[in-house]
């Protein structure tokens, strides 16, 4: 006969409160189990049970306000889930071990997993979350799919893995001293809007990985940060640009609250923060492949020979290309230039040179097509052509041979004016007489 022992699933809720030498908040007759550094490993870590662990401090006002609901939840969950409390004043080692930075802090322990609970600080919120975790554990044992539990700013354990928990103590290092752009949500666990945003925020964090980092600050715990950034409502979202930054660099996010809205906004900001694309001179196959094969489109320009256009002239054309690269960098195109006559087979494949130099073609290697620029090689002329192209306007032609040609190596430009070849003097004085 199959028998399920519910008591085998323990849920330890540890609420962390500030450091003080005061006595614990829960009496020995309470259903909240007293956890200490001496019994924590035995009861929690070495157990197969699920625990929610609450770290608290007896003098903390938020902890005192929360105590009645916490005790009520412990009683309601008796026989189903274990609920415990750690007095942070007496067990600072546990606070440090589990990175407790404010009070109350609630963590969920089961097996080797530790999950932050940031749901509503109510008996109902705790009970609902405890039962979700129990169901997850049972489903996992059966080989089924587990349901979502709270984590981070309210998302599921798995979905919120890419949302960085930010605190008063780590904000400077992780955000302000970082070279990466950040979107930071300031939330309150009891806020309904924050809870609805949580899964969207978590999804956006995963999709924007490598472009923009997403973090979350519990403004009810980390009040110094909330005050520093004048947080008056929840959720409030701030954007911090790439590079070393100060508090004054924070920008309010005014976009939508769906994952797609956040992803689109963050992608645009990442593109704005990105460095301009590298403008490569085509001196061999390596540059041509890097510029065209590694990008959806590549901009290939052929500039006049250095003997027809000196260094000042050439740099002016290169400046046009660099400004265009900066303007259209969000498209992630490749940018190449070549000297007229260096790669005649490339010019022929793109039909370049028929109208003189400088000349330009936009190439889509995968589709074997290109579009030839016929306007003025100026900031406005090039910009207008590329803008139309980015909107899908403009005519195209097939690449001759359906692919870029093989090219030979040439010497890179040294940045100097060209020197005409030295003509050899020919003397007629010693010509043999007929």
């Amino acid at each position: 006969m199959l028998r399920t022992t519910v008591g085998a699933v323990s849920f330890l809720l540890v609420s962390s409160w500030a450091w003080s030498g005061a006595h614990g908040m829960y009496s020995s007759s309470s259903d909240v189990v007293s956890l200490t550094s001496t019994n924590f490993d035995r009861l929690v870590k070495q157990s197969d049970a699920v625990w929610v662990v609450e770290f608290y401090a007896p003098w903390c006002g938020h902890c005192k306000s929360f105590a009645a609901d916490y005790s009520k939840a412990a009683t309601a969950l008796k026989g189903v889930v274990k609920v415990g409390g750690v007095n942070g004043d007496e067990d600072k080692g546990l606070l440090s071990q589990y990175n407790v930075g404010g009070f109350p802090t609630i963590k969920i322990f089961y097996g080797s997993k530790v999950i932050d609970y940031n749901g509503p600080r109510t008996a109902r919120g705790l009970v609902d979350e405890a039962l979700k975790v129990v169901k997850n554990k049972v489903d996992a044992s059966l080989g089924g799919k587990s349901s979502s539990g709270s984590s981070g700013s309210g998302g599921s354990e798995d979905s919120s893995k890419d949302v960085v928990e930010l605190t008063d103590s780590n904000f400077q290092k992780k955000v302000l001293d970082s070279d990466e752009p950040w979107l930071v949500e300031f939330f309150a666990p009891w806020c309904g809007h924050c809870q609805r945003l949580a899964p969207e925020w978590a999804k956006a964090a995963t999709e924007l990985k490598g472009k923009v980092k997403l973090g979350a600050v519990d403004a009810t715990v980390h009040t110094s940060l909330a005050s520093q950034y004048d947080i008056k409502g929840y959720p409030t979202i701030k954007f911090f640009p790439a590079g070393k930054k100060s508090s004054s660099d924070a920008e309010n996010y005014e976009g939508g609250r769906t994952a797609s809205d956040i992803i689109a906004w963050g992608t645009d900001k990442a593109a704005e923060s990105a460095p301009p694309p590298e403008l490569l001179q085509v001196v061999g196959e390596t540059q041509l492949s890097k510029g065209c094969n590694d990008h959806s489109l590549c901009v290939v320009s052929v500039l006049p020979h250095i003997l027809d256009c000196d260094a000042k002239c050439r740099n002016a054309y290169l400046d046009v290309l660099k400004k265009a690269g900066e303007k259209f960098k969000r498209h992630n195109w490749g940018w190449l230039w070549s000297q007229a006559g260096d790669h005649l087979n490339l010019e022929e494949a793109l039909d370049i040179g028929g109208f003189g130099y400088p000349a330009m073609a936009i190439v889509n290697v995968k589709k074997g097509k290109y579009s030839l620029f016929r306007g003025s090689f100026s900031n406005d002329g090039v910009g207008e052509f590329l803008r139309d192209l980015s909107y899908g306007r403009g005519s195209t032609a097939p690449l001759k041979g359906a692919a870029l040609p093989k090219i030979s190596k040439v010497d890179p430009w040294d940045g100097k004016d060209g020197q005409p070849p030295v003509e050899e003097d020919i003397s007629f004085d010693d010509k043999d007489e007929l």
Side-chain angles (χ1 to χ4, degrees):
M1 179 176 180
L2 179 64
R3 183 178 64 180
T4 301
T5 306
V6 179
V9 180
S10 312
F11 190 43
L12 172 60
L13 202 34
V14 181
S15 170
S16 103
W17 285 300
W19 310 196
S20 158
H23 296 296
M25 292 181 58
Y26 303 102
S27 68
S28 58
S29 60
S30 170
D31 292 314
V32 177
V33 179
S34 177
L35 296 167
T36 67
S37 56
T38 57
N39 68 9
F40 192 89
D41 284 3
R42 176 174 55 84
L43 292 179
V44 181
K45 293 179 66 176
Q46 296 172 11
S47 171
D48 291 331
V50 179
W51 288 81
V52 180
V53 180
E54 178 197 10
F55 295 84
Y56 69 89
W59 49 262
C60 164
H62 291 298
C63 306
K64 293 176 182 177
S65 299
F66 182 47
D69 272 283
Y70 193 68
S71 296
K72 185 177 179 180
T75 300
L77 291 167
K78 189 173 183 179
V80 179
V81 169
K82 288 246 184 220
V83 177
V86 171
N87 183 345
D89 277 349
E90 298 177 354
D91 283 287
K92 296 183 176 64
L94 287 174
L95 299 181
S96 176
Q97 183 178 351
Y98 292 106
N99 298 313
V100 175
F103 308 109
T105 290
I106 304 168
K107 293 181 181 287
I108 303 169
F109 293 74
Y110 68 101
S112 60
K113 297 182 179 181
V114 182
I115 309 167
D116 290 327
Y117 170 81
N118 284 309
R121 290 179 186 170
T122 63
R124 170 53 60 188
L126 292 172
V127 168
D128 288 347
E129 188 61 30
L131 295 179
K132 281 184 183 179
V133 174
V134 171
K135 185 176 185 303
N136 286 351
K137 183 176 175 64
V138 173
D139 285 347
S141 297
L142 292 172
K145 184 176 180 181
S146 63
S147 59
S148 297
S150 285
S151 179
S153 59
S156 71
E157 172 196 351
D158 292 330
S159 67
S160 65
K161 65 183 183 302
D162 296 315
V163 177
V164 180
E165 182 182 358
L166 298 170
T167 67
D168 286 330
S169 60
N170 71 11
F171 195 88
Q172 177 73 37
K173 181 178 180 180
K174 287 187 175 293
V175 178
L176 299 183
D177 292 343
S178 167
D179 288 329
E180 299 169 291
W182 280 79
L183 270 171
V184 178
E185 175 204 2
F186 293 83
F187 72 94
W190 45 260
C191 161
H193 292 299
C194 304
Q195 293 166 22
R196 286 189 288 275
L197 173 64
E200 305 294 319
W201 194 248
K203 183 178 179 181
T206 299
E207 292 295 323
L208 287 170
K209 188 185 293 186
K211 297 178 181 178
V212 178
K213 301 200 78 168
L214 267 66
V217 176
D218 184 344
T220 65
V221 173
H222 305 289
T223 53
S224 293
L225 281 174
S227 175
Q228 181 179 353
Y229 291 101
D230 195 28
I231 305 302
K232 298 185 183 301
Y234 308 111
T236 294
I237 301 172
K238 301 273 186 182
F239 175 72
F240 296 81
K244 297 294 188 291
K245 37 203 163 290
S246 64
S247 300
S248 62
D249 292 323
E251 171 187 335
N252 286 328
Y253 170 84
E254 303 293 349
R257 299 299 173 88
T258 66
S260 59
D261 290 332
I262 298 165
I263 292 165
W265 197 93
T267 300
D268 284 345
K269 281 295 183 181
E272 291 175 10
S273 302
E278 186 179 8
L279 177 58
L280 300 172
Q281 181 186 0
V282 181
V283 295
E285 287 289 340
T286 300
Q287 293 76 30
L288 188 60
S289 176
K290 183 178 179 182
C292 289
N293 294 332
D294 295 350
H295 300 273
S296 58
L297 296 178
C298 59
V299 182
V300 181
S301 298
V302 180
L303 305 183
H305 194 281
I306 194 63
L307 294 178
D308 298 323
C309 174
D310 62 14
K312 181 179 179 181
C313 167
R314 175 170 288 183
N315 282 321
Y317 288 134
L318 292 176
D319 188 56
V320 169
L321 293 174
K322 289 175 182 177
K323 287 180 179 178
E326 172 69 32
K327 184 175 182 179
F328 294 94
K329 63 184 179 182
R330 70 180 59 195
H331 296 290
N332 193 30
W333 296 336
W335 293 78
L336 301 169
W337 73 275
S338 174
Q339 175 175 256
D342 279 357
H343 306 293
L344 291 175
N345 53 348
L346 177 61
E347 295 181 37
E348 182 181 355
L350 302 176
D351 199 25
I352 281 180
F355 297 92
Y357 304 100
M360 175 189 290
I362 313 301
V363 184
N364 186 323
V365 173
K366 290 184 179 179
K367 293 185 177 181
K369 294 182 178 181
Y370 71 96
S371 182
L372 190 62
F373 172 56
R374 302 180 187 277
S376 169
F377 205 96
S378 62
N379 291 325
D380 291 340
V382 170
E384 183 178 351
F385 171 68
L386 295 176
R387 183 176 62 252
D388 287 347
L389 192 78
S390 68
Y391 291 145
R393 297 196 290 263
S395 60
T396 61
L399 277 171
K400 295 180 181 179
L404 291 174
K406 297 293 183 182
I407 60 173
S408 56
K409 289 186 177 181
V410 297
D411 293 330
W413 181 44
D414 60 8
K416 300 177 182 179
D417 289 335
Q419 298 296 324
V422 177
E423 295 184 3
E424 183 179 351
D425 291 335
I426 301 176
S427 173
F428 296 95
D429 293 342
D430 298 328
K431 281 197 68 174
D432 293 338
E433 295 183 0
L434 294 176

